[in-house]
């Protein structure tokens, strides 16, 4: 009979996969519709036969047919019989992202969220900070947008950039590097979805209600929604980078990850400015190309700074008491039967890649920022070792270090013993 203690992390891993898949699908739908409508809006043309209130039109061809699209800045004279609302793409992306945050970072807080060397937190405290911090950005941003700054869009964008950089710096003093960039992405995505939920859709509903009641809609609601939509457009690419960053330790495991994130936000501006300008038929801002390349090179350089200085990492002395560096939760893995054997297996089969100084040719840094070159690090990565090198043969890749089936069974038995303990 299969043991639940062994099945639980595997089932949870499949749950994470399912939620992540859902998140990616909904994000594709949201980002795709967002980019499409921005390009459509910027590409509208004037025509002599436009109806009253129409701002412009566009002819498009796709899928073997032609589409004739017109935009009304405020609203048409009469309410159309059929109206499609673009909102569920945004809501579904945020909800699935929140679920993924809970499944991965809250449920795995001891491994992925809490960094005791930065701040000693209980799991519930870390979760509370994680959840509470996501609301701060929207409250500050919404206050700025509703102030007199709404008439100064450039200054408003600069202040939003400052807010994002400040949050990245703050996260870096609390959470693991991986959680820093992920939370900054979630922080930004919360602002974007809140724009849709609290501003864009409600304003459009006001316009629709006025049309149904025979009133002339106030154009201010469309202008407000347009401003928020533009902000979302410039934030989209950085959010994608931040969501993907957990696969690349050169981005998230750097002590300057918040600086890297700041430069990524600037890259988002230069890239989107290029496309927005071209879609609006206002020329080709070629300056954005070298600017984007320089920003990316700066990111690469910043990620390499720690390699310029010698560091002892957290390698322990032989006489150091491991109980002084691990939490009570982690000590159950140290005390479990088979730990010494697992330590020998992991160090001999895995540490040539998963170490401060990688010995395997062609690999610059430890994959996913996971280090396995001492007992404390092996214990902190117990779940990952069990799933990737015990329950499956995902690691070592292509079994290049020839890990034997008996060694994988030893890892499974150790993890099982720790769970029983």
């Amino acid at each position: 009979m299969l043991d639940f203690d062994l099945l639980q992390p595997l089932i949870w891993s499949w749950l994470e996969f399912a939620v992540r898949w859902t998140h990616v699908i909904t994000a594709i739908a949201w980002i795709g519709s967002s980019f499409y409508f921005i390009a459509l809006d910027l590409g509208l043309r004037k025509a002599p036969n436009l109806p009253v209130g129409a701002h412009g039109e566009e002819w498009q061809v796709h899928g073997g047919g032609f589409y004739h699209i017109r935009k009304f800045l405020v609203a048409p004279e009469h309410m159309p019989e059929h109206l499609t609302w673009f909102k569920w793409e945004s809501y579904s992306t945020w909800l699935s992202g929140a679920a993924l945050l809970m499944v991965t970072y809250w449920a795995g807080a001891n491994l992925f969220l809490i960094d005791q060397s930065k701040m000693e937190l209980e799991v519930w405290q870390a979760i509370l900070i994680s959840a509470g911090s996501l609301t701060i950005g929207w409250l500050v941003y919404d206050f700025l947008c509703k102030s007199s700054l709404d008439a100064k869009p450039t200054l408003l964008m600069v202040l939003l950039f400052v807010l994002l950089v400040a949050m990245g710096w703050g996260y870096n003093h609390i959470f693991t590097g991986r959680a820093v960039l992920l939370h900054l992405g979630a922080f930004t995505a919360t602002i974007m979805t809140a724009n849709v939920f609290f501003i864009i859709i409600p304003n459009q509903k006001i316009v629709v209600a006025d049309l149904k009641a025979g009133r002339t809609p106030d154009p201010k609601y469309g202008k407000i929604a347009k401003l928020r939509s533009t902000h979302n457009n410039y934030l989209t690419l950085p959010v994608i980078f931040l969501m993907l960053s957990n696969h690349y330790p050169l981005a998230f495991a750097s002590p300057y990850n918040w600086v890297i994130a700041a430069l990524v936000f600037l890259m988002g501006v230069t890239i989107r400015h290029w496309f927005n300008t071209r879609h609006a038929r206002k020329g080709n801002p070629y300056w954005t190309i070298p600017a984007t390349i320089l920003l990316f090179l700066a990111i690469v350089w910043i990620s390499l700074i720690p390699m310029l200085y010698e560091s002892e990492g957290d390698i322990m002395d032989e006489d150091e008491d491991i109980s002084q560096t691990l939490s009570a939760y982690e000590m159950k893995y140290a005390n479990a039967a088979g730990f010494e054997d697992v330590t020998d297996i992991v160090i001999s089969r895995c540490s040539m890649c998963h170490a401060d100084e990688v010995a395997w040719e062609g690999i610059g840094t430890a994959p996913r920022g996971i280090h396995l070159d001492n007992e404390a690090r092996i214990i902190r990565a117990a779940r990952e070792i069990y799933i990737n090198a015990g329950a499956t043969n995902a690691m070592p890749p292509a079994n290049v270090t020839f890990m034997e089936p008996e060694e994988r069974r030893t890892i499974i038995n150790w993890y099982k013993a720790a769970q029983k303990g």
Side-chain angles (χ1 to χ4, degrees):
M1 176 180 286
L2 293 174
D3 194 308
F4 177 76
D5 289 326
L6 295 180
L7 281 177
Q8 187 272 334
L10 306 182
I11 294 172
W12 199 260
S13 183
W14 273 111
L15 175 62
E16 178 185 340
F17 192 176
V19 176
R20 189 181 300 276
W21 189 23
T22 302
H23 184 52
V24 170
I25 291 170
T26 55
I28 290 172
W30 184 19
I31 294 167
S33 62
S34 174
F35 281 4
Y36 170 74
F37 279 106
I38 287 292
L40 174 64
D41 193 60
L42 293 172
L44 292 171
R45 300 189 181 200
K46 298 292 184 181
N49 60 339
L50 289 176
V52 177
H55 171 66
E57 68 176 10
E58 176 80 347
W59 282 90
Q60 298 183 354
V61 58
H62 181 73
F66 293 86
Y67 297 82
H68 186 199
I69 304 167
R70 291 172 174 172
K71 179 179 180 179
F72 294 80
L73 283 182
V74 181
E77 292 184 300
H78 304 287
M79 181 66 190
E81 294 182 3
H82 175 71
L83 192 61
T84 301
W85 295 83
F86 289 87
K87 56 182 179 179
W88 291 110
E89 299 91 338
S90 173
Y91 302 163
S92 300
T93 300
W94 190 89
L95 290 172
S96 59
L100 188 59
L101 176 68
M102 296 175 191
V103 169
T104 304
Y105 288 87
W106 292 5
N110 284 300
L111 179 61
F112 298 125
L113 184 60
I114 300 172
D115 187 336
Q116 298 289 1
S117 66
K118 294 180 179 179
M119 184 175 292
E120 296 183 3
L121 296 171
E122 298 294 334
V123 170
W124 69 268
Q125 293 173 322
I127 292 175
L128 189 62
I129 294 173
S130 170
S133 66
L134 300 183
T135 65
I136 296 174
W138 163 251
L139 294 175
V140 175
Y141 165 77
D142 187 54
F143 171 79
L144 293 174
C145 287
K146 292 179 178 178
S147 69
S148 59
L149 289 171
D150 64 339
K152 302 175 181 177
T154 301
L155 178 58
L156 185 58
M157 281 292 290
V158 170
L159 292 177
L160 175 58
F161 172 73
V162 172
L163 172 64
L164 294 170
V165 174
M167 282 306 300
W169 177 85
Y171 279 136
N172 195 43
H173 284 74
I174 302 174
F175 296 141
T176 65
R178 176 174 170 171
V180 169
L181 295 191
L182 188 284
H183 275 74
L184 187 57
F187 179 90
T188 308
T190 299
I191 291 177
M192 296 170 65
T193 298
N195 273 338
V196 177
F197 185 79
F198 291 112
I199 302 298
I200 297 174
I201 295 300
N203 281 13
Q204 290 176 339
K205 287 184 176 181
I206 291 174
V207 172
V208 170
D210 286 340
L211 280 176
K212 289 181 177 180
R215 298 186 296 266
T216 300
D218 191 329
K220 73 175 183 179
Y221 295 110
K223 293 180 180 179
I224 293 172
K226 176 62 177 176
L227 176 65
R228 302 296 183 104
S229 180
T230 300
H231 290 168
N232 282 5
N233 176 46
Y234 281 102
L235 292 174
T236 300
L237 294 181
V239 168
I240 296 174
F241 178 96
L242 295 171
M243 293 306 178
L244 293 175
S245 66
N246 67 90
H247 297 285
Y248 298 93
L250 279 174
F252 74 76
S254 168
Y256 307 104
N257 50 28
W258 62 279
V259 181
I260 291 174
L263 296 180
V264 169
F265 280 113
L266 295 179
M267 285 179 62
V269 172
T270 57
I271 294 172
R272 288 310 302 163
H273 182 70
W274 163 265
F275 285 102
N276 291 344
T277 303
R278 284 181 56 84
H279 291 153
R281 302 182 179 91
K282 294 183 178 179
N284 300 307
Y286 289 110
W287 64 269
T288 61
I289 298 176
T292 302
I293 294 174
L294 289 175
L295 287 169
F296 183 73
L297 292 176
I299 289 172
V300 173
W301 172 252
I302 291 171
S303 73
L304 299 177
I305 288 178
M307 298 177 63
L308 302 178
Y309 303 94
E310 294 184 2
S311 173
E312 297 298 327
D314 62 353
I315 297 176
M316 300 181 299
D317 296 330
E318 292 184 2
D319 297 330
E320 185 176 347
D321 185 359
I322 192 174
S323 65
Q324 301 300 313
T325 63
L326 299 176
S327 67
Y329 170 83
E330 293 166 334
M331 278 303 298
K332 72 177 184 178
Y333 293 99
N335 296 327
F339 174 58
E340 292 184 2
D341 292 334
V342 169
T343 299
D344 292 339
I345 292 169
V346 172
I347 288 180
S348 63
R349 305 297 192 189
C350 311
S351 65
M352 61 284 297
C353 295
H354 293 277
D356 289 327
E357 296 183 5
V358 178
W360 195 272
E361 185 178 355
I363 298 179
T365 59
R368 299 190 69 182
I370 297 175
H371 297 77
L372 304 172
D373 49 2
N374 64 45
E375 292 182 345
R377 288 173 162 181
I378 290 172
I379 289 170
R380 293 189 181 106
R383 180 176 178 273
E384 297 297 303
I385 293 171
Y386 163 63
I387 292 176
N388 290 283
T392 72
N393 60 358
M395 290 291 165
N399 201 20
V400 291
T401 57
F402 304 101
M403 183 178 287
E404 300 291 341
E406 294 77 12
E407 293 174 318
R408 297 188 190 277
R409 175 54 57 182
T410 299
I411 292 173
I412 293 174
N413 291 337
W414 165 65
Y415 187 85
K416 179 179 181 180
Q419 297 308 303
K420 293 296 184 184

